[in-house]
Amino acid sequence: MTSDKLAECLHTNPVVVRRTMGLLREAGIVTSDRGHSGGWRIAVDLNTVTLRQLHSALGEPAFFAMGNRNETPECLVEQAVNAALDDTFIKAEALLLERFSEITLADLAADFSRRYAEQRKQGR
Amino acid sequence: MTSDKLAECLHTNPVVVRRTMGLLREAGIVTSDRGHSGGWRIAVDLNTVTLRQLHSALGEPAFFAMGNRNETPECLVEQAVNAALDDTFIKAEALLLERFSEITLADLAADFSRRYAEQRKQGR
DNA sequence: GTTTCATGTAACTTATGTAGTTACGATTCG
DNA sequence: CGAATCGTAACTACATAAGTTACATGAAAC
């Protein structure tokens, strides 16, 4: 699929698509071809790609909105707060990563197919 | 403590302090007094205030950086992704809220005192 | 009662990060 | 060759949060 087509599907811009897909290509998850009949193609079995791999490929963006903390503050109050939160956030992140590594693109594809069949059955 | 003094401690601006502290006042956690020898005062026992209450008082800001999802998308792919993520994020949020409700300001104060004593012992 | 010191709050400015856009070069296929 | 497509740099637009200014309101000190 071309960047233009993907951008249309995602309601965004072809360049944004290329930027993001480029990261997936660096991780070996997709390939791209230039020129006529070029575009993006999945390079691996959907069963082998997990959300965790995608997250990693995309640069491990922060899970938490409160992650903008100074990790080595001089302030003792800040240190105490960090100590209290670190443990909590580390556990929550571990939980998220674990779940992410359990979900494959094949799972999502299967769920999509189910929803698609359901929608057709209802005559929409 | 005055907003000016707090702003200095927090390396921010007095108006920002008032905005935030105002939310805590609405929740009954602090009081404010105008005029001479005015400022902010804690209104409750530190043992009774949890991080969860603070979070709630501050308007329950989002925990997750990936929370900007359309909750009722037409797109079936989006629906499938949401279904996969919702469960995960709900569990993680529950974990965070649970931990937040276990941590009191008294806990933080105690940890601060410990750190302060430690620092003094080391002659800093 | 006037002065001084505070908060309360509206309005505006600044900073930051992300997404979007334009432009054009590089490459591939027909 | 020429059309299609990605690669990428550079710029713009936008949204959000923080910072700032300004001034009104209220309370204590003298």
PDB file of all heavy atoms in Angstrom, chain B residues 68-85:
ATOM      1  N   ASN B  68      -5.051   9.384  24.104  1.00  0.00           N
ATOM      2  CA  ASN B  68      -5.805  10.206  23.160  1.00  0.00           C
ATOM      3  C   ASN B  68      -6.460   9.369  22.067  1.00  0.00           C
ATOM      4  O   ASN B  68      -6.261   9.590  20.886  1.00  0.00           O
ATOM      5  CB  ASN B  68      -4.904  11.263  22.544  1.00  0.00           C
ATOM      6  CG  ASN B  68      -3.596  10.657  22.045  1.00  0.00           C
ATOM      7  OD1 ASN B  68      -3.275   9.522  22.361  1.00  0.00           O
ATOM      8  ND2 ASN B  68      -2.881  11.401  21.252  1.00  0.00           N
ATOM      9  N   ARG B  69      -7.243   8.407  22.523  1.00  0.00           N
ATOM     10  CA  ARG B  69      -7.889   7.533  21.547  1.00  0.00           C
ATOM     11  C   ARG B  69      -9.353   7.899  21.397  1.00  0.00           C
ATOM     12  O   ARG B  69      -9.997   8.325  22.347  1.00  0.00           O
ATOM     13  CB  ARG B  69      -7.757   6.070  22.015  1.00  0.00           C
ATOM     14  CG  ARG B  69      -6.350   5.529  21.837  1.00  0.00           C
ATOM     15  CD  ARG B  69      -5.999   4.558  22.940  1.00  0.00           C
ATOM     16  NE  ARG B  69      -6.967   3.492  23.055  1.00  0.00           N
ATOM     17  CZ  ARG B  69      -7.173   2.811  24.166  1.00  0.00           C
ATOM     18  NH1 ARG B  69      -6.507   3.108  25.251  1.00  0.00           N
ATOM     19  NH2 ARG B  69      -8.060   1.850  24.192  1.00  0.00           N
ATOM     20  N   ASN B  70      -9.822   7.704  20.205  1.00  0.00           N
ATOM     21  CA  ASN B  70     -11.242   7.885  19.932  1.00  0.00           C
ATOM     22  C   ASN B  70     -11.992   6.695  20.536  1.00  0.00           C
ATOM     23  O   ASN B  70     -11.754   5.554  20.184  1.00  0.00           O
ATOM     24  CB  ASN B  70     -11.445   7.963  18.419  1.00  0.00           C
ATOM     25  CG  ASN B  70     -12.897   8.156  18.055  1.00  0.00           C
ATOM     26  OD1 ASN B  70     -13.766   8.088  18.909  1.00  0.00           O
ATOM     27  ND2 ASN B  70     -13.139   8.402  16.798  1.00  0.00           N
ATOM     28  N   GLU B  71     -12.895   6.981  21.446  1.00  0.00           N
ATOM     29  CA  GLU B  71     -13.531   5.887  22.188  1.00  0.00           C
ATOM     30  C   GLU B  71     -14.611   5.138  21.391  1.00  0.00           C
ATOM     31  O   GLU B  71     -14.903   3.989  21.673  1.00  0.00           O
ATOM     32  CB  GLU B  71     -14.131   6.416  23.489  1.00  0.00           C
ATOM     33  CG  GLU B  71     -13.097   6.630  24.596  1.00  0.00           C
ATOM     34  CD  GLU B  71     -12.249   5.387  24.876  1.00  0.00           C
ATOM     35  OE1 GLU B  71     -12.812   4.288  24.983  1.00  0.00           O
ATOM     36  OE2 GLU B  71     -11.022   5.523  24.975  1.00  0.00           O
ATOM     37  N   THR B  72     -15.204   5.821  20.439  1.00  0.00           N
ATOM     38  CA  THR B  72     -16.240   5.145  19.649  1.00  0.00           C
ATOM     39  C   THR B  72     -15.996   5.349  18.154  1.00  0.00           C
ATOM     40  O   THR B  72     -16.754   6.028  17.473  1.00  0.00           O
ATOM     41  CB  THR B  72     -17.635   5.681  20.010  1.00  0.00           C
ATOM     42  OG1 THR B  72     -17.623   7.111  19.865  1.00  0.00           O
ATOM     43  CG2 THR B  72     -18.009   5.321  21.419  1.00  0.00           C
ATOM     44  N   PRO B  73     -14.917   4.744  17.679  1.00  0.00           N
ATOM     45  CA  PRO B  73     -14.565   4.933  16.267  1.00  0.00           C
ATOM     46  C   PRO B  73     -15.435   4.088  15.333  1.00  0.00           C
ATOM     47  O   PRO B  73     -15.873   2.995  15.718  1.00  0.00           O
ATOM     48  CB  PRO B  73     -13.109   4.462  16.221  1.00  0.00           C
ATOM     49  CG  PRO B  73     -13.009   3.447  17.306  1.00  0.00           C
ATOM     50  CD  PRO B  73     -13.986   3.855  18.368  1.00  0.00           C
ATOM     51  N   GLU B  74     -15.651   4.592  14.149  1.00  0.00           N
ATOM     52  CA  GLU B  74     -16.320   3.779  13.118  1.00  0.00           C
ATOM     53  C   GLU B  74     -15.348   2.743  12.564  1.00  0.00           C
ATOM     54  O   GLU B  74     -15.728   1.629  12.233  1.00  0.00           O
ATOM     55  CB  GLU B  74     -16.778   4.676  11.963  1.00  0.00           C
ATOM     56  CG  GLU B  74     -18.115   5.336  12.188  1.00  0.00           C
ATOM     57  CD  GLU B  74     -18.643   5.913  10.879  1.00  0.00           C
ATOM     58  OE1 GLU B  74     -18.538   5.225   9.839  1.00  0.00           O
ATOM     59  OE2 GLU B  74     -19.135   7.049  10.907  1.00  0.00           O
ATOM     60  N   CYS B  75     -14.110   3.156  12.488  1.00  0.00           N
ATOM     61  CA  CYS B  75     -13.079   2.310  11.886  1.00  0.00           C
ATOM     62  C   CYS B  75     -12.947   0.988  12.651  1.00  0.00           C
ATOM     63  O   CYS B  75     -12.704   0.969  13.861  1.00  0.00           O
ATOM     64  CB  CYS B  75     -11.754   3.053  11.894  1.00  0.00           C
ATOM     65  SG  CYS B  75     -10.340   2.069  11.396  1.00  0.00           S
ATOM     66  N   LEU B  76     -13.071  -0.111  11.923  1.00  0.00           N
ATOM     67  CA  LEU B  76     -13.038  -1.419  12.571  1.00  0.00           C
ATOM     68  C   LEU B  76     -11.649  -1.786  13.070  1.00  0.00           C
ATOM     69  O   LEU B  76     -11.505  -2.499  14.057  1.00  0.00           O
ATOM     70  CB  LEU B  76     -13.546  -2.491  11.602  1.00  0.00           C
ATOM     71  CG  LEU B  76     -15.030  -2.371  11.204  1.00  0.00           C
ATOM     72  CD1 LEU B  76     -15.416  -3.519  10.273  1.00  0.00           C
ATOM     73  CD2 LEU B  76     -15.923  -2.351  12.422  1.00  0.00           C
ATOM     74  N   VAL B  77     -10.631  -1.289  12.385  1.00  0.00           N
ATOM     75  CA  VAL B  77      -9.268  -1.547  12.860  1.00  0.00           C
ATOM     76  C   VAL B  77      -9.069  -0.849  14.203  1.00  0.00           C
ATOM     77  O   VAL B  77      -8.572  -1.436  15.168  1.00  0.00           O
ATOM     78  CB  VAL B  77      -8.224  -1.041  11.836  1.00  0.00           C
ATOM     79  CG1 VAL B  77      -6.820  -1.205  12.405  1.00  0.00           C
ATOM     80  CG2 VAL B  77      -8.363  -1.780  10.525  1.00  0.00           C
ATOM     81  N   GLU B  78      -9.510   0.388  14.245  1.00  0.00           N
ATOM     82  CA  GLU B  78      -9.407   1.157  15.490  1.00  0.00           C
ATOM     83  C   GLU B  78     -10.180   0.454  16.599  1.00  0.00           C
ATOM     84  O   GLU B  78      -9.724   0.379  17.747  1.00  0.00           O
ATOM     85  CB  GLU B  78      -9.994   2.551  15.243  1.00  0.00           C
ATOM     86  CG  GLU B  78      -9.285   3.662  15.964  1.00  0.00           C
ATOM     87  CD  GLU B  78      -9.780   5.021  15.496  1.00  0.00           C
ATOM     88  OE1 GLU B  78     -10.291   5.112  14.337  1.00  0.00           O
ATOM     89  OE2 GLU B  78      -9.680   5.991  16.269  1.00  0.00           O
ATOM     90  N   GLN B  79     -11.329  -0.056  16.265  1.00  0.00           N
ATOM     91  CA  GLN B  79     -12.122  -0.763  17.263  1.00  0.00           C
ATOM     92  C   GLN B  79     -11.378  -1.972  17.807  1.00  0.00           C
ATOM     93  O   GLN B  79     -11.371  -2.220  19.019  1.00  0.00           O
ATOM     94  CB  GLN B  79     -13.461  -1.215  16.652  1.00  0.00           C
ATOM     95  CG  GLN B  79     -14.461  -0.095  16.444  1.00  0.00           C
ATOM     96  CD  GLN B  79     -15.774  -0.601  15.853  1.00  0.00           C
ATOM     97  OE1 GLN B  79     -16.109  -1.782  15.974  1.00  0.00           O
ATOM     98  NE2 GLN B  79     -16.513   0.290  15.210  1.00  0.00           N
ATOM     99  N   ALA B  80     -10.740  -2.693  16.919  1.00  0.00           N
ATOM    100  CA  ALA B  80     -10.024  -3.899  17.347  1.00  0.00           C
ATOM    101  C   ALA B  80      -8.843  -3.528  18.240  1.00  0.00           C
ATOM    102  O   ALA B  80      -8.591  -4.162  19.266  1.00  0.00           O
ATOM    103  CB  ALA B  80      -9.540  -4.688  16.125  1.00  0.00           C
ATOM    104  N   VAL B  81      -8.140  -2.466  17.868  1.00  0.00           N
ATOM    105  CA  VAL B  81      -7.005  -2.018  18.683  1.00  0.00           C
ATOM    106  C   VAL B  81      -7.506  -1.548  20.044  1.00  0.00           C
ATOM    107  O   VAL B  81      -6.940  -1.905  21.080  1.00  0.00           O
ATOM    108  CB  VAL B  81      -6.233  -0.886  17.972  1.00  0.00           C
ATOM    109  CG1 VAL B  81      -5.179  -0.294  18.900  1.00  0.00           C
ATOM    110  CG2 VAL B  81      -5.586  -1.405  16.699  1.00  0.00           C
ATOM    111  N   ASN B  82      -8.562  -0.773  20.044  1.00  0.00           N
ATOM    112  CA  ASN B  82      -9.113  -0.298  21.315  1.00  0.00           C
ATOM    113  C   ASN B  82      -9.487  -1.458  22.229  1.00  0.00           C
ATOM    114  O   ASN B  82      -9.194  -1.442  23.422  1.00  0.00           O
ATOM    115  CB  ASN B  82     -10.354   0.564  21.060  1.00  0.00           C
ATOM    116  CG  ASN B  82      -9.983   1.999  20.763  1.00  0.00           C
ATOM    117  OD1 ASN B  82      -8.832   2.405  20.918  1.00  0.00           O
ATOM    118  ND2 ASN B  82     -10.955   2.774  20.334  1.00  0.00           N
ATOM    119  N   ALA B  83     -10.142  -2.439  21.653  1.00  0.00           N
ATOM    120  CA  ALA B  83     -10.558  -3.588  22.457  1.00  0.00           C
ATOM    121  C   ALA B  83      -9.350  -4.255  23.096  1.00  0.00           C
ATOM    122  O   ALA B  83      -9.384  -4.656  24.260  1.00  0.00           O
ATOM    123  CB  ALA B  83     -11.320  -4.590  21.587  1.00  0.00           C
ATOM    124  N   ALA B  84      -8.284  -4.347  22.328  1.00  0.00           N
ATOM    125  CA  ALA B  84      -7.082  -4.998  22.856  1.00  0.00           C
ATOM    126  C   ALA B  84      -6.421  -4.153  23.941  1.00  0.00           C
ATOM    127  O   ALA B  84      -5.902  -4.686  24.924  1.00  0.00           O
ATOM    128  CB  ALA B  84      -6.091  -5.263  21.718  1.00  0.00           C
ATOM    129  N   LEU B  85      -6.449  -2.859  23.782  1.00  0.00           N
ATOM    130  CA  LEU B  85      -5.744  -1.984  24.720  1.00  0.00           C
ATOM    131  C   LEU B  85      -6.565  -1.646  25.956  1.00  0.00           C
ATOM    132  O   LEU B  85      -6.022  -1.524  27.058  1.00  0.00           O
ATOM    133  CB  LEU B  85      -5.339  -0.684  24.023  1.00  0.00           C
ATOM    134  CG  LEU B  85      -4.277  -0.803  22.930  1.00  0.00           C
ATOM    135  CD1 LEU B  85      -3.889   0.576  22.423  1.00  0.00           C
ATOM    136  CD2 LEU B  85      -3.048  -1.515  23.469  1.00  0.00           C
TER     137      LEU B  85
END
